[in-house]
Amino acid sequence: MPSRILSYGGRTVWTLITGFVIAAVLSVMLLTKTAELRYQRDVNRMVYNDNLGVLSEIKTKLGMTGDSLKTLMTETAAEAANKPYLVVSMADHMLWYKQGKEILFEAPVATGSGKELVGGSGQWRFETPRGRLTVKGKDENPAWVPPDWHYVEQAHKKGLGIIHLDPGESIPTGDGGVITTRNGEVVRRYGNGSAVSLGGGVEGKEIVVNGNIVVPPYGTTARRYVGVLGTRRLELGDGYGIHGTDHPESIGRSVSHGCVRMRNEDIERLYPMVGIGTPVYIY
């Protein structure tokens, strides 16, 4: 029977099979072309909007995550418009200030350690954020207001506990006195009624009471550290920034809690060049 079908209607059968194969091939080619066109459309949208997040998402979907941001820099709107921008390479521990393809300034930096810290009912990972950020503000001689993780970290280093001091509350010192707040300061009040201010915060010299590091309230001088962030800071939002340091030996390493550190002499040179709103690409 099959031979009879092929004998009498073979030409028709082979025509149908050939047509089916051609249609299948054309369908695959059309789908491939459609995907390419969509990719080009989304890349153009990313360029016009200066949105590296869009490109990253698209490339991930297409299995193209191997491209580095250094390569993608040629596709950004900042470069196309010949506007200055900052680039930070965490692998190279380098920062570049560029306009177009021209490097206006470069310097070594320190970036996030990637370490994790758990304690005090919290968990933190100290990573420098990747992607596109923006310079949101600028500070000269900035003060650092440490988050809770700083006190947890210090307590771990010294084998101490943690105790929070809330505004207006007191922590007994065990000798008849207390640690409390007064007029925006943390003070030690003695049994005779006299009180002494404990001053501003000093890294590594936090207030210790009965085997616990005291976490001062926000807004007090004890929770304000001067000099830790160096002489200048470019604010990137969410607590991150590009700033100087009181530990210049850390530059060129992955040791920070997420910020990008520079030597004070380098950030002082960069600071007047960079305006608020400048794009920052970190990869």
Side-chain angles (χ1 to χ4, degrees):
M1 182 67 68
S3 60
R4 186 176 299 174
I5 293 174
L6 291 176
S7 174
Y8 293 105
R11 180 175 299 178
T12 302
V13 172
W14 285 113
T15 300
L16 290 174
I17 293 174
T18 303
F20 177 78
V21 171
I22 293 173
V25 171
L26 290 175
S27 178
V28 171
M29 292 176 62
L30 179 61
L31 289 174
T32 302
K33 186 63 177 178
T34 300
E36 291 178 354
L37 291 174
R38 286 177 179 173
Y39 172 71
Q40 290 298 329
R41 178 202 65 190
D42 288 334
V43 167
N44 290 334
R45 176 161 57 93
M46 180 278 300
V47 172
Y48 291 137
N49 295 333
D50 198 15
N51 190 343
L52 286 175
V54 175
L55 182 65
S56 177
E57 179 182 353
I58 298 164
K59 284 185 173 292
T60 299
K61 291 179 180 178
L62 296 179
M64 300 171 64
T65 53
D67 286 359
S68 70
L69 183 57
K70 187 181 295 185
T71 301
L72 299 179
M73 287 307 301
T74 58
E75 299 179 15
T76 64
E79 182 174 295
N82 201 35
K83 294 180 180 179
Y85 55 93
L86 287 161
V87 182
V88 176
S89 167
M90 290 191 285
D92 299 323
H93 295 108
M94 286 292 297
L95 173 147
W96 297 274
Y97 183 55
K98 301 178 69 177
Q99 185 165 9
K101 296 183 181 297
E102 181 183 0
I103 297 176
L104 306 178
F105 176 86
E106 62 181 315
V109 298
T111 55
S113 66
K115 295 180 179 179
E116 291 187 353
L117 174 66
V118 179
S121 301
Q123 182 174 353
W124 302 270
R125 187 175 182 88
F126 302 127
E127 293 182 317
T128 299
R130 296 175 182 266
R132 184 193 189 282
L133 290 82
T134 304
V135 175
K136 298 182 180 296
K138 301 173 62 173
D139 295 314
E140 295 188 19
N141 300 314
W144 182 46
V145 178
D148 284 358
W149 58 253
H150 168 72
Y151 301 96
V152 174
E153 185 177 57
Q154 290 296 318
H156 282 197
K157 288 179 180 179
K158 299 178 180 180
L160 300 171
I162 287 286
I163 186 169
H164 288 261
L165 175 64
D166 294 324
E169 293 190 350
S170 299
I171 300 174
T173 58
D175 57 2
V178 297
I179 300 294
T180 187
T181 59
R182 183 186 66 181
N183 299 327
E185 293 186 311
V186 175
V187 300
R188 177 185 288 271
R189 182 174 295 148
Y190 296 93
N192 61 9
S194 63
V196 176
S197 171
L198 298 181
V202 178
E203 190 172 11
K205 297 182 178 180
E206 285 70 29
I207 303 167
V208 178
V209 175
N210 302 325
N212 295 302
I213 285 184
V214 176
V215 182
Y218 283 105
T220 59
T221 54
R223 199 153 180 165
R224 188 174 184 273
Y225 289 50
V226 176
V228 175
L229 304 182
T231 58
R232 302 288 188 275
R233 174 175 58 183
L234 303 175
E235 299 176 22
L236 303 179
D238 295 328
Y240 296 103
I242 301 172
H243 59 73
T245 181
D246 57 349
H247 291 290
E249 73 281 358
S250 69
I251 302 303
R253 301 160 57 196
S254 300
V255 293
S256 82
H257 293 92
C259 289
V260 177
R261 296 181 190 172
M262 301 180 68
R263 293 178 301 209
N264 287 337
E265 56 267 33
D266 289 334
I267 189 67
E268 287 173 8
R269 288 179 56 201
L270 177 65
Y271 187 86
M273 302 180 191
V274 178
I276 294 175
T278 298
V280 181
Y281 301 98
I282 302 178
Y283 69 98

